Amino acid sequence: MASAQASSVIFERADVTIESPPSTDKEPKPSHPTLKYSVESRPEDALRLEYIHTLNGLTADTGVLIVFDAPSMVPLPAMKVYTPVDALFIADDGTVVQILPNVVLGDITQEIKAREPVKAFFFIKAGEAAMRNIHPRDTVSGKMFAIAPPVQQ
């Protein structure tokens, strides 16, 4: 008797925002307004997948998050996805620590890691990070991240 098994890979829909760091004397205005994304949030076992089809159809306000149980030094996944994406490396507190623009996951031939442990990879449509003025130090807010403490500089 055969029985169907539920896939161990699940995802959920979530809404996240990206905000510029607080204003300072050097930067009196935020570099962009609060950005809202509807995302497909996947657990870290998604790194074992050959592809995530959603990456092929990203729009200006959608994304895919691969979220780890704990911050880790994990390489960007090499998947059989040939549509370019912007890959944001996100720390445990939601801070963008690094951005790899216009990367084709199917063309990755070497390990690409952030300089520090990350809590998630956030994939958005290629070119959106530059067009929307998203930079390292911006903050991604969502239930999967601890709240970043205020920073004075």
Side-chain angles (χ1 to χ4, degrees):
M1 181 171 162
S3 64
Q5 292 184 359
S7 170
S8 63
V9 178
I10 56 174
F11 69 88
E12 65 181 1
R13 297 274 178 216
D15 292 322
V16 299
T17 60
I18 302 178
E19 296 185 47
S20 291
S23 300
T24 64
D25 290 337
K26 292 179 183 178
E27 293 182 40
K29 289 196 250 180
S31 62
H32 59 78
T34 298
L35 305 170
K36 296 180 182 183
Y37 286 89
S38 175
V39 299
E40 181 178 292
S41 179
R42 292 179 170 262
E44 62 189 87
D45 61 355
L47 295 178
R48 293 192 297 268
L49 297 175
E50 286 189 2
Y51 63 91
I52 297 175
H53 70 85
T54 312
L55 293 171
N56 293 318
L58 294 174
T59 65
D61 60 354
T62 62
V64 173
L65 271 168
I66 297 178
V67 182
F68 308 111
D69 289 333
S72 306
M73 293 296 292
V74 180
L76 197 62
M79 296 181 171
K80 293 181 180 175
V81 176
Y82 296 95
T83 302
V85 296
D86 288 349
L88 286 65
F89 297 73
I90 312 296
D92 189 39
D93 66 1
T95 302
V96 177
V97 295
Q98 187 173 324
I99 299 173
L100 186 59
N102 297 306
V103 64
V104 177
L105 299 175
D107 289 344
I108 293 176
T109 58
Q110 64 185 35
E111 274 195 356
I112 302 170
K113 294 182 183 179
R115 297 180 269 288
E116 61 186 81
V118 295
K119 175 73 174 176
F121 293 126
F122 185 14
F123 301 105
I124 59 176
K125 184 177 177 181
E128 287 295 314
M131 187 170 76
R132 292 181 168 214
N133 220 9
I134 299 169
H135 299 290
R137 294 187 46 239
D138 284 359
T139 303
V140 179
S141 298
K143 67 180 182 178
M144 62 288 298
F145 302 110
I147 297 173
V151 177
Q152 287 186 339
Q153 293 190 6

